[in-house]
Amino acid sequence: FMSDKFEEKAHILLSALPYNYKPFEWADENFHPFYESTWVPEQLPTLILGGCQDVLTPIQLFIDDARFKRSNILIREIKHASHFPWIEKPNDVEAELYNFVKYLSI
């Protein structure tokens, strides 16, 4: 769920930035359809954090992949956020980072 207000804010934020859409188009045709994760941390404590509306790197890639269902890997989804959750939902990202630090202290 992305509100019109969110999209409006995103357009305002991005309109001031130089943006070249051609690399995204290239990646959408030549990279994204063929990408497959090849490294999965076996022991390293890992936090995979993503927005639920991220179309570039969908968090579902990790949620659906059995290789990432390990005790050392935490997968956390930020609701109502897309590819830049630290901009869109900074308090939620901060909370997840705090929880990860607590997890590391166990």
Side-chain angles (χ1 to χ4, degrees), residues 40-41 48 59-75:
V40 178
I48 298 174
I59 193 75
Q60 208 63 39
L61 291 173
F62 301 99
I63 293 171
D64 293 342
D65 190 331
R67 298 174 303 159
F68 290 93
K69 292 181 180 7
R70 305 179 59 81
S71 62
N72 62 304
I73 298 176
L74 298 177
I75 301 174

Side-chain angles (χ1 to χ4, degrees), residues 5-19 82-89:
K5 190 173 185 175
F6 169 78
E7 285 191 40
E8 182 181 324
K9 285 182 177 181
H11 284 284
I12 290 169
L13 176 67
L14 295 174
S15 68
L17 301 174
Y19 181 73
S82 58
H83 193 62
F84 301 106
W86 55 92
I87 294 173
E88 300 157 328
K89 303 291 280 188

Side-chain angles (χ1 to χ4, degrees), residues 7-77:
E7 285 191 40
E8 182 181 324
K9 285 182 177 181
H11 284 284
I12 290 169
L13 176 67
L14 295 174
S15 68
L17 301 174
Y19 181 73
N20 182 352
Y21 64 89
K22 294 210 180 277
F24 177 77
E25 285 183 345
W26 179 91
D28 215 27
E29 288 180 23
N30 300 289
F31 177 75
H32 297 137
F34 312 106
Y35 175 77
E36 182 179 329
S37 178
T38 58
W39 180 71
V40 178
E42 292 185 16
Q43 295 179 355
L44 180 70
T46 302
L47 173 64
I48 298 174
L49 184 66
C52 67
Q53 300 291 327
D54 190 341
V55 296
L56 295 176
T57 313
I59 193 75
Q60 208 63 39
L61 291 173
F62 301 99
I63 293 171
D64 293 342
D65 190 331
R67 298 174 303 159
F68 290 93
K69 292 181 180 7
R70 305 179 59 81
S71 62
N72 62 304
I73 298 176
L74 298 177
I75 301 174
R76 297 295 184 256
E77 182 177 46

